Structure formats: structure tokens, C-alpha cells
Amino acid sequence: EVQLVESGGGLVQTGGSLRLSCAASGFTFDDYGIGWFRQAPGKEREGVACISSSDGPIYYADSAKGRFTISKDNANNTVYLLMNTLKPEDTAVYYCAADNIGWCPPDMDFWGKGTLVTVSS
């Protein structure tokens, strides 16, 4: 079975850092694009970052560029999102998702259950 399990969320002050992890299983990890998405209360879900298969391009939302870093460990089937200089606007439930196209289309194949990040003012 396909599983994506996020961890690492929590409460942090403005300017702080968190590293989120997404542990994947049940599929050929290195063949999939893996993305991080987030959804704040009352707002639409938005893409944050995407890392492609086969060491392809990495993309970031404008809001994340320069502050967030996505990476993956193929040996351990894990994707990370390092978030620095956090702002209250970053408060959201963060999800990882996977797609076998090898990149991050609008409709991802598989989704995790999310981890909550709260950034206090």
C-alpha cells in the first residue's frame, strides 16, 4: 500500500525554523515527483515546493523561495522541507504528495495526512 507520512510540524516563533519530513513507502520512490503543499484555514491549498525524479528540477512558490529548501534521501525514501525564517503567514497544515509522472502536476496521485505548522507572531 502507498503511504506518505509527514512529521516535524509544531509551534515556532516568527523567524524560527522547522524541518518537515515525509516518509514514503509502497511505491518506487525515485520514479515519483514529490511535492509539499499547504492549506491555511479558510484558504485554498497551494503548492510550496516540488522535487522531481531522477535529480530533475526543483521548484518553489514565490512565498517559499529563498527561505525553504526541499530535498530527498532516496536511500531512506524520505523527502524533507527545511523552512527557515518562518512567518505567521506560513501557518498551515503541510502535506506531502507524490505523482508517478515524475514531477508535480495539479492533481497528485497520493497524499499524506498532513502535519500542522503554527508560527506565532
Side-chain angles (χ1 to χ4, degrees):
E1 65 186 273
V2 173
Q3 281 194 296
L4 297 165
V5 181
E6 303 95 336
S7 62
L11 176 64
V12 64
Q13 292 183 341
T14 297
S17 298
L18 286 173
R19 189 179 72 163
L20 306 183
S21 298
C22 175
S25 61
F27 61 95
T28 305
F29 178 78
D30 195 41
D31 290 340
Y32 281 64
I34 310 292
W36 285 97
F37 300 78
R38 68 186 183 187
Q39 187 166 24
K43 296 187 178 294
E44 294 185 4
R45 186 177 62 205
E46 62 178 343
V48 178
C50 179
I51 186 165
S52 66
S53 64
S54 303
D55 297 319
I58 293 172
Y59 289 115
Y60 297 98
D62 288 342
S63 60
K65 192 170 296 184
R67 299 188 299 126
F68 294 5
T69 303
I70 188 170
S71 61
K72 64 179 179 179
D73 182 350
N74 288 331
N76 292 298
N77 288 3
T78 303
V79 174
Y80 303 97
L81 184 69
L82 176 62
M83 304 184 294
N84 293 322
T85 320
L86 283 161
K87 306 173 182 179
E89 307 94 271
D90 296 317
T91 295
V93 176
Y94 284 72
Y95 303 88
C96 68
D99 199 284
N100 68 2
I101 197 70
W103 189 233
C104 297
D107 188 16
M108 304 290 282
D109 293 336
F110 306 111
W111 293 83
K113 294 180 180 179
T115 185
L116 177 63
V117 172
T118 303
V119 184
S120 62
S121 301

